[in-house]
Amino acid sequence: MSIRRGKAIAVAALCMLAVAACGFGGSIDPGNPLPTLPGTLGHFDNGDFSFDYPAGWAILASEYPEGMAVQVDAVLGTGGWQTGCRSTAYPNGNGGGSCTGDSFDVSGGRVVVKVWRRVGGPVDVCGVGAGANATLGPNPVLRTGPDSAAVWEIREPGGQFGWGYNVFMEAHSESPAGLAAGEKVAASFRWSASRKNGGCAPMDAPSPF
């Protein structure tokens, strides 16, 4: 079995939120060995956004916090996956942890798709950001990543690339067919009609500090 280490984009170096370890194909929460996703089988819908995925894919993890700044909404696919976050218990009873990089087993043409958002960090600043370099379905996207790990950033309605709460659809595969399957999932992405952008801070606004 070939296991490849992969770095999730913008993973925090320190996890102040305790996250339990899991094995390949397992759940983040050991009390929930069979994670489920909001929506119906083959159709993810959490009220903010939705996307379609093959009904035969395994659900590897549902929503969980990844450090202080990242929220993962789903991990699914045909391959194996293990979170890079580990919880730590200190002598004083407090909990902490660390995040390195997730592990993916996508040998034999398999694919794993991870869906996440940055929900913490600096306040977004208004201005001209990066432009889209691709279009998937109805969404202009910013595609990054090496050949074996495509990442599509989907900006919030009225938002810019690089802002918080944008959704990242991250596909890992060692084969073009696997990446194409991940791209098809990303192309089905839709924001809910009621979703509104959180806004930004004017570039000339006085500092609050």
Side-chain angles (χ1 to χ4, degrees), residues 43-144:
H43 181 71
F44 176 101
D45 189 343
N46 65 0
D48 287 334
F49 58 85
S50 64
F51 59 85
D52 298 320
Y53 61 91
W57 279 15
I59 308 305
L60 305 177
S62 52
E63 181 180 314
Y64 70 92
E66 190 171 78
M68 296 171 58
V70 170
Q71 173 179 302
V72 176
D73 291 286
V75 184
L76 64 162
T78 59
W81 162 85
Q82 185 176 25
T83 178
C85 294
R86 296 291 183 270
S87 60
T88 303
Y90 296 115
N92 62 6
N94 293 329
S98 63
C99 287
T100 54
D102 291 358
S103 297
F104 299 88
D105 176 11
V106 289
S107 56
R110 294 182 292 172
V111 59
V112 171
V113 173
K114 181 176 182 179
V115 183
W116 57 274
R117 292 176 278 176
R118 179 176 65 83
V119 296
V123 175
D124 296 319
V125 176
C126 300
V128 179
N133 58 12
T135 300
L136 288 181
N139 301 300
V141 300
L142 181 61
R143 186 194 188 281
T144 57

Side-chain angles (χ1 to χ4, degrees), residues 49 115-117 152-154 165-169 189 191:
F49 58 85
V115 183
W116 57 274
R117 292 176 278 176
W152 298 279
E153 180 182 358
I154 304 171
Y165 297 95
N166 290 347
V167 171
F168 293 81
M169 309 283 284
F189 182 95
W191 289 105

Side-chain angles (χ1 to χ4, degrees), residues 169-194:
M169 309 283 284
E170 178 182 324
H172 294 259
S173 183
E174 294 179 351
S175 75
L179 288 180
E183 182 173 318
K184 186 176 181 180
V185 173
S188 72
F189 182 95
R190 302 289 189 276
W191 289 105
S192 68
S194 61

